[in-house]
mmCIF file of all heavy atoms in Angstrom:
data_model
loop_
_atom_site.group_PDB
_atom_site.id
_atom_site.type_symbol
_atom_site.label_atom_id
_atom_site.label_comp_id
_atom_site.label_asym_id
_atom_site.label_seq_id
_atom_site.Cartn_x
_atom_site.Cartn_y
_atom_site.Cartn_z
ATOM 1 N N THR V 22 3.723 104.371 -28.262
ATOM 2 C CA THR V 22 2.339 104.769 -28.008
ATOM 3 C C THR V 22 1.716 103.876 -26.937
ATOM 4 O O THR V 22 1.023 104.342 -26.021
ATOM 5 C CB THR V 22 1.511 104.701 -29.291
ATOM 6 O OG1 THR V 22 1.991 105.695 -30.209
ATOM 7 C CG2 THR V 22 0.032 104.967 -29.018
ATOM 8 N N THR V 23 1.982 102.563 -27.025
ATOM 9 C CA THR V 23 1.476 101.640 -26.007
ATOM 10 C C THR V 23 2.056 101.959 -24.637
ATOM 11 O O THR V 23 1.341 101.945 -23.620
ATOM 12 C CB THR V 23 1.827 100.193 -26.397
ATOM 13 O OG1 THR V 23 1.225 99.891 -27.657
ATOM 14 C CG2 THR V 23 1.330 99.211 -25.355
ATOM 15 N N VAL V 24 3.347 102.276 -24.601
ATOM 16 C CA VAL V 24 3.985 102.660 -23.338
ATOM 17 C C VAL V 24 3.330 103.907 -22.762
ATOM 18 O O VAL V 24 2.979 103.962 -21.572
ATOM 19 C CB VAL V 24 5.498 102.893 -23.540
ATOM 20 C CG1 VAL V 24 6.120 103.505 -22.283
ATOM 21 C CG2 VAL V 24 6.197 101.594 -23.902
ATOM 22 N N VAL V 25 3.147 104.919 -23.592
ATOM 23 C CA VAL V 25 2.570 106.188 -23.135
ATOM 24 C C VAL V 25 1.167 105.983 -22.598
ATOM 25 O O VAL V 25 0.791 106.521 -21.545
ATOM 26 C CB VAL V 25 2.589 107.220 -24.277
ATOM 27 C CG1 VAL V 25 1.754 108.458 -23.919
ATOM 28 C CG2 VAL V 25 4.018 107.641 -24.599
ATOM 29 N N HIS V 26 0.387 105.196 -23.303
ATOM 30 C CA HIS V 26 -0.995 104.979 -22.852
ATOM 31 C C HIS V 26 -1.072 104.167 -21.569
ATOM 32 O O HIS V 26 -2.116 104.151 -20.903
ATOM 33 C CB HIS V 26 -1.800 104.291 -23.962
ATOM 34 C CG HIS V 26 -2.166 105.222 -25.083
ATOM 35 N ND1 HIS V 26 -2.558 104.790 -26.332
ATOM 36 C CD2 HIS V 26 -2.195 106.588 -25.144
ATOM 37 C CE1 HIS V 26 -2.824 105.820 -27.106
ATOM 38 N NE2 HIS V 26 -2.600 106.914 -26.400
ATOM 39 N N GLY V 27 0.018 103.525 -21.200
ATOM 40 C CA GLY V 27 0.044 102.783 -19.951
ATOM 41 C C GLY V 27 0.589 103.563 -18.770
ATOM 42 O O GLY V 27 0.651 103.042 -17.648
ATOM 43 N N LEU V 28 0.973 104.826 -18.992
ATOM 44 C CA LEU V 28 1.551 105.629 -17.916
ATOM 45 C C LEU V 28 0.476 106.305 -17.081
ATOM 46 O O LEU V 28 -0.540 106.765 -17.612
ATOM 47 C CB LEU V 28 2.476 106.710 -18.495
ATOM 48 C CG LEU V 28 3.701 106.217 -19.287
ATOM 49 C CD1 LEU V 28 4.498 107.403 -19.818
ATOM 50 C CD2 LEU V 28 4.587 105.314 -18.440
ATOM 51 N N ALA V 29 0.712 106.368 -15.790
ATOM 52 C CA ALA V 29 -0.131 107.165 -14.905
ATOM 53 C C ALA V 29 0.303 108.619 -14.963
ATOM 54 O O ALA V 29 1.413 108.931 -15.425
ATOM 55 C CB ALA V 29 -0.035 106.633 -13.479
ATOM 56 N N ALA V 30 -0.555 109.504 -14.481
ATOM 57 C CA ALA V 30 -0.242 110.935 -14.560
ATOM 58 C C ALA V 30 1.085 111.259 -13.878
ATOM 59 O O ALA V 30 1.892 112.037 -14.395
ATOM 60 C CB ALA V 30 -1.379 111.739 -13.936
ATOM 61 N N GLY V 31 1.334 110.651 -12.728
ATOM 62 C CA GLY V 31 2.566 110.932 -12.007
ATOM 63 C C GLY V 31 3.809 110.443 -12.712
ATOM 64 O O GLY V 31 4.915 110.962 -12.497
ATOM 65 N N ASP V 32 3.650 109.439 -13.583
ATOM 66 C CA ASP V 32 4.799 108.906 -14.316
ATOM 67 C C ASP V 32 5.398 109.932 -15.261
ATOM 68 O O ASP V 32 6.600 109.888 -15.557
ATOM 69 C CB ASP V 32 4.402 107.667 -15.126
ATOM 70 C CG ASP V 32 4.035 106.481 -14.246
ATOM 71 O OD1 ASP V 32 4.525 106.415 -13.104
ATOM 72 O OD2 ASP V 32 3.259 105.633 -14.717
ATOM 73 N N LEU V 33 4.581 110.841 -15.748
ATOM 74 C CA LEU V 33 5.052 111.818 -16.724
ATOM 75 C C LEU V 33 6.025 112.823 -16.125
ATOM 76 O O LEU V 33 6.799 113.450 -16.849
ATOM 77 C CB LEU V 33 3.859 112.567 -17.336
ATOM 78 C CG LEU V 33 2.904 111.702 -18.165
ATOM 79 C CD1 LEU V 33 1.665 112.500 -18.549
ATOM 80 C CD2 LEU V 33 3.608 111.183 -19.427
ATOM 81 N N ASP V 34 6.003 112.954 -14.804
ATOM 82 C CA ASP V 34 6.900 113.895 -14.135
ATOM 83 C C ASP V 34 8.194 113.232 -13.651
ATOM 84 O O ASP V 34 9.049 113.898 -13.063
ATOM 85 C CB ASP V 34 6.189 114.529 -12.930
ATOM 86 C CG ASP V 34 5.042 115.432 -13.357
ATOM 87 O OD1 ASP V 34 5.187 116.124 -14.395
ATOM 88 O OD2 ASP V 34 4.010 115.452 -12.676
ATOM 89 N N ARG V 35 8.356 111.952 -13.921
ATOM 90 C CA ARG V 35 9.569 111.259 -13.496
ATOM 91 C C ARG V 35 10.766 111.711 -14.322
ATOM 92 O O ARG V 35 10.632 112.049 -15.506
ATOM 93 C CB ARG V 35 9.406 109.757 -13.641
ATOM 94 C CG ARG V 35 8.372 109.165 -12.703
ATOM 95 C CD ARG V 35 8.270 107.669 -12.842
ATOM 96 N NE ARG V 35 9.500 106.988 -12.404
ATOM 97 C CZ ARG V 35 9.545 105.708 -12.059
ATOM 98 N NH1 ARG V 35 8.446 104.960 -12.095
ATOM 99 N NH2 ARG V 35 10.667 105.158 -11.672
ATOM 100 N N PRO V 36 11.969 111.707 -13.713
ATOM 101 C CA PRO V 36 13.167 112.011 -14.495
ATOM 102 C C PRO V 36 13.350 110.969 -15.598
ATOM 103 O O PRO V 36 13.140 109.777 -15.376
ATOM 104 C CB PRO V 36 14.298 111.931 -13.467
ATOM 105 C CG PRO V 36 13.631 112.094 -12.137
ATOM 106 C CD PRO V 36 12.267 111.481 -12.284
ATOM 107 N N SER V 37 13.713 111.426 -16.774
ATOM 108 C CA SER V 37 13.944 110.523 -17.901
ATOM 109 C C SER V 37 15.433 110.226 -18.041
ATOM 110 O O SER V 37 16.256 110.682 -17.256
ATOM 111 C CB SER V 37 13.419 111.154 -19.197
ATOM 112 O OG SER V 37 14.325 112.183 -19.616
ATOM 113 N N GLY V 38 15.786 109.485 -19.081
ATOM 114 C CA GLY V 38 17.179 109.236 -19.362
ATOM 115 C C GLY V 38 17.892 110.419 -19.974
ATOM 116 O O GLY V 38 19.124 110.406 -20.098
ATOM 117 N N ALA V 39 17.166 111.453 -20.357
ATOM 118 C CA ALA V 39 17.747 112.675 -20.899
ATOM 119 C C ALA V 39 17.990 113.654 -19.753
ATOM 120 O O ALA V 39 17.068 113.962 -18.988
ATOM 121 C CB ALA V 39 16.827 113.298 -21.938
ATOM 122 N N SER V 40 19.188 114.114 -19.636
ATOM 123 C CA SER V 40 19.558 114.985 -18.519
ATOM 124 C C SER V 40 18.633 116.184 -18.419
ATOM 125 O O SER V 40 18.398 116.893 -19.397
ATOM 126 C CB SER V 40 21.003 115.467 -18.706
ATOM 127 O OG SER V 40 21.376 116.364 -17.691
#
Side-chain angles (χ1 to χ4, degrees):
T22 294
T23 300
V24 171
V25 169
H26 285 162
L28 298 179
D32 293 334
L33 295 172
D34 292 323
R35 294 182 66 159
S37 75
S40 177

